[in-house]
Structures are given as structure tokens and as C-alpha cells.
Amino acid sequence: MRADAERARAEAVERERKVADLQNRLNAATGAPPVAAPPSSLAGASSSGGEGGGSFEIYGFAQVDYIQDFKRVDPAWDATLRPSKIPTVDGIFGDDGQGIISVRQSRFGVRATQPVGGRDLFVRFEFDLFGVGGDAGQTTFRLRHAYGEWGPILAGQTNSLFMDGDTFPNTIDYWGPNGMVFLRNPQIRYTYKTGANQFAIAIEQPSNDIDPGNIRLLDSDIAASLQGDEELPDLTAQWRYTGDWGHVQAAGILRRVGFETAGTPNNEPSDSKVGWGINLTSNIKVSKKDVIHLGAVYGEGIASYMNDGGTDLAPEADPAVAPPIVGLPPPGLRGDVVPLLGLMAYYDHYWNDQFSSSIGYSRVQVDNTNFQEPTAFKTAQYASVNLLYTPSDKILMGGEFLWGSREDKDGAEGEDYRVQFSFKYNFSSNDFR
């Protein structure tokens, strides 16, 4: 019966299109204005008209960035400013000053909506070209989103429930402020909405970042064999209130952060700790377009969810132990979750319909364990200001000044400052209907 109904609707749409085509021919002969043809069932039918409606869009943008770096960062990350990649040893990556032209921010995606079982099914698949991990420094495929959402149930990879993507400021640097939670993660999520309030809970893919620290001095083989032990998914929850003035959000995470030693009897040594975090964020509307973005996050063992900097778990010895003795494990040596604080404040200002600016500051600080190496990451800062020009919603161009700094556990410091000029051209299949 459903197939017959859908076929009847399709035949009705086709008849309407033929009538519209005939009417336009007559109008062209008499000089009358054309009439709009009804949308096809695939590309433009409303999703509210029954099981046969839906929408499908191909979208994305081509973007090129010219970056003039006045100092130096890890060459694999020179197309963006990540403070954790700033060296604290002069000359380790070469002489100061680099010119970079990159298209890695360019993006391509598809999304579709159709009613299924009385609810809209939304599906999204999106990638950019900014290589990370083993592909760091390369212009290659990087998955951003791959998920479906049907009613209150979402499954797939998208923004973690622990983050607030709406607080990302209007910057053109790819990585953005380091002190905010930012992770797109595979997950299964349930959302409940009532009025201005939204509640959500999810289980997410665990990913533990383990720092062997000074264990390398005791046994380099064991240090090389230490790896994350991810027995349980991370549990995240979120509450958001939205009003005419903006929104406020509180998110939390509870996770098991574990490690084990590959290739040893019973994979020992091994252990696990409880990681947790609270992320408070808000967007405050100053005017029709101007927005203040605010964020503060604190927790233990949450570095994997941060935009940049820190580690989840590191070795800790009894407080009475002095610097490590090579070859002799100190008493009470264990793994412990690393406390972390992240802060972010940005202001997006629109001078008029075509010109805008974003200015702000961000910071990450960790409380190092006493058995981490002297070169372990401790504190990083990030700041930027820009002027952007958008002659239409399809074109953006502008410049940005960025500054970042890093400090290690032993007090060694490094900084970087650069300017970036970007040209971005958006496209959408909706523009051709």
C-alpha cells in the first residue's frame, strides 16, 4: 500500500510539472512571467508531507590559506597554530620564518532528510582534507561527521556531547582556541527536549592518551610497550538552556582511564583510574549578530577531549621521592589521571553586513605528575584577532593575527606568532534548484 501511495504521489508531481512546463511555454509566447515548477520528490519535496517527502543536499567549500609564520612550529602542523606544537628548544625545527599555502581546510559533505515512521531521519557525511595522526602534515581525507539521527536517537560520529560546538568563534585558523573541549567522536546518544531546555546522554568511543614519563629511564622497553586500555565507553551528559539572549550549557563526563603493557605476562604492569570533567559554556548575544563566547572546563584525565594540550594519564610516585634514580623504580610508582583546566573567551563583532572581526584568548594548564619528564607539556596560551570580508554568503576572505606560547614542566618556554590570509568559496546543490 505504501509503494502504491508513493507511486501515486510521484505521478501527481510529474503531472504538475508537465502542466507548469506547458504554462511556461504559453507565458513565454505572451510575455507573461514564468511559474515555478513543483519540486521533485528527491531534491525539494517537503519532509512534512508524509513518508514520500525528503531533501538531499551536496555542500562544502574550497578554501586556501596563506600563512606567514614568523617563528617556527612542528612542520607537520605548520598549517595551523597548535600551542602544544610550539618548540621550547630554539632551532629544533630549523630557522625562524616559514611561508605556508594550504588547501587542507576545504570541505565536502552530503546530508539528507526524509520522514520515517512519523519522524524525520537525518543523515550526514562530511570530510575535510586536514590530515592528522599518521597523516599529519598531509592534504588527505579526514572524516568529520558520519551519523544518523532519528527522533531522539543519534548514532555515529559527530561532536562529542561533552563539547559545545556553538562556542567556536569566527576565526579562520583551522584548530582554533586551545582551551575549549573539541572532539568529534563515535557515539550513541539520546536527547530529550522540553521547552527551552535540552537534556542528552551518550556513550562515546574511549581514547586514552598515556604519557610514560620517566619510566623511559627505568626500562625503555616497558615504556615503549605501555598503551591505553579502553575496556569501557566514556559516559557523557549535557544540559542546555536556550533563550532570546543566547544559551548556557553544562556538560559532564565520566570515564575509565587505563593502561597496560603489551607483550608482558598478563600485560602487567596495568592499572586504571576514574577520569571526570565538567564543561560550562555560554553564548551571550550582545546585539542582533554580535556574540560573546565563554567556556571553562576542569577535570582529571580529560585531555583527549581538549582541542589541544595535555595527557590523560601519567606516572606518579610517592611525594617523598626525589628525582628518579636510573634503573631503580621508586616506591609507590603508579599511573594517575592528570588534572587540567581550560579557559576560553572570544567576542565576534559585526561592523556591518559585510565586515566582521573576532578577538579573544584561550589557555590550557595541567598539574603535572612528579614522575613526568621535565619536557612534559604544562601550560599553553592562544590569542587571535581578525578582520573578515563576506561580500555574499558564498565568499569569505580576510586576515588574522595569531599568537601562541607553550611552557614545559621544567619552565622552558617557546612562542610563535603568525598572520594568516584566507579565501573561501562555498557551494551547495540547493543553489541550482
Side-chain angles (χ1 to χ4, degrees):
M1 295 295 294
R2 178 179 297 175
D4 292 339
E6 291 178 355
R7 184 162 46 251
R9 280 193 293 268
E11 291 172 354
V13 169
E14 183 61 23
R15 286 195 298 270
E16 291 176 15
R17 293 178 66 86
K18 289 181 178 179
V19 171
D21 180 66
L22 178 59
Q23 184 64 56
N24 282 332
R25 292 182 183 180
L26 294 174
N27 290 352
T30 61
V35 299
S40 69
S41 60
L42 173 63
S46 169
S47 63
S48 61
E51 293 286 319
S55 64
F56 181 83
E57 180 187 10
I58 300 172
Y59 66 93
F61 57 79
Q63 179 168 335
V64 63
D65 304 318
Y66 164 58
I67 301 166
Q68 186 60 54
D69 200 350
F70 299 108
K71 300 283 279 186
R72 201 69 185 261
V73 299
D74 183 339
W77 294 95
D78 59 7
T80 188
L81 182 57
R82 293 187 62 182
S84 68
K85 303 302 178 181
I86 297 173
T88 54
V89 177
D90 289 340
I92 191 172
F93 295 130
D95 292 337
D96 288 344
Q98 291 288 291
I100 303 107
I101 299 180
S102 169
V103 297
R104 298 175 202 172
Q105 291 206 56
S106 298
R107 188 180 305 176
F108 184 89
V110 296
R111 51 193 169 207
T113 304
Q114 67 179 111
V116 175
R119 293 173 170 171
D120 279 346
L121 170 64
F122 176 76
V123 179
R124 182 181 185 184
F125 180 85
E126 180 183 298
F127 65 89
D128 62 26
L129 304 177
F130 207 101
V132 298
D135 292 329
Q138 299 183 42
T139 304
T140 187
F141 174 96
R142 184 197 186 198
L143 183 66
R144 292 170 56 87
H145 301 280
Y147 69 94
E149 187 174 13
W150 183 67
I153 301 173
L154 180 150
Q157 176 171 308
T158 189
N159 294 349
S160 168
L161 202 58
F162 188 45
M163 71 176 277
D164 184 352
D166 293 332
T167 60
F168 201 98
N170 192 26
T171 62
I172 53 176
D173 174 42
Y174 179 78
W175 218 258
N178 62 333
M180 65 186 301
V181 175
F182 196 99
L183 178 68
R184 288 180 286 267
N185 211 18
Q187 61 192 273
I188 302 172
R189 177 195 302 183
Y190 181 86
T191 302
Y192 173 74
K193 298 179 180 180
T194 173
N197 291 280
Q198 174 179 296
F199 303 89
I201 189 169
I203 55 173
E204 303 194 21
Q205 166 69 26
S207 178
N208 297 336
D209 184 8
I210 310 300
D211 179 12
N214 282 311
I215 293 176
R216 297 183 182 94
L217 302 178
L218 304 177
D219 192 319
S220 59
D221 292 335
I222 287 181
S225 300
L226 291 176
Q227 62 184 22
D229 182 23
E230 300 157 358
E231 292 186 2
L232 298 173
D234 296 342
L235 178 65
T236 55
Q238 179 193 103
W239 165 79
R240 173 184 284 213
Y241 177 85
T242 303
D244 294 337
W245 53 269
H247 79 266
V248 62
Q249 176 177 302
I253 185 170
L254 188 65
R255 59 196 312 245
R256 177 189 182 276
V257 184
F259 75 94
E260 61 184 359
T261 309
T264 62
N266 299 319
N267 299 118
E268 296 292 341
S270 65
D271 198 4
S272 66
K273 298 290 182 180
V274 175
W276 63 273
I278 300 293
N279 185 26
L280 302 176
T281 55
S282 180
N283 278 357
I284 302 172
K285 296 180 181 178
V286 179
S287 64
K288 184 177 179 180
K289 289 186 175 183
D290 288 14
V291 178
I292 296 175
H293 306 282
L294 299 172
V297 56
Y298 181 81
E300 297 180 346
I302 61 170
S304 293
Y305 282 77
M306 295 301 297
N307 202 21
D308 185 47
T311 188
D312 293 323
L313 188 141
E316 175 86 4
D318 286 343
V321 175
I325 303 173
V326 176
L328 296 175
L333 182 62
R334 60 193 180 279
D336 206 357
V337 285
V338 179
L340 181 149
L341 171 67
L343 301 170
M344 186 270 292
Y346 263 79
Y347 175 42
D348 291 346
H349 173 66
Y350 288 80
W351 304 100
N352 51 44
D353 290 339
Q354 295 183 332
F355 286 92
S356 66
S357 294
S358 183
I359 183 171
Y361 170 84
S362 188
R363 177 185 180 92
V364 169
Q365 182 169 328
V366 303
D367 185 6
N368 298 111
T369 65
N370 62 10
F371 215 66
Q372 284 187 271
E373 293 180 317
T375 57
F377 174 96
K378 180 181 179 181
T379 303
Q381 302 177 83
Y382 176 101
S384 66
V385 60
N386 63 29
L387 178 63
L388 306 179
Y389 173 57
T390 51
S392 80
D393 61 351
K394 301 302 177 186
I395 300 173
L396 179 147
M397 57 189 70
E400 188 167 81
F401 174 80
L402 298 118
W403 169 84
S405 71
R406 168 179 170 158
E407 179 184 356
D408 292 341
K409 179 185 175 183
D410 63 0
E413 297 180 339
E415 69 171 355
D416 185 38
Y417 48 95
R418 55 173 54 188
V419 291
Q420 175 174 326
F421 300 95
S422 296
F423 302 84
K424 177 181 177 182
Y425 307 97
N426 298 301
F427 65 87
S428 169
S429 58
N430 288 339
D431 299 334
F432 304 100
R433 293 178 185 171

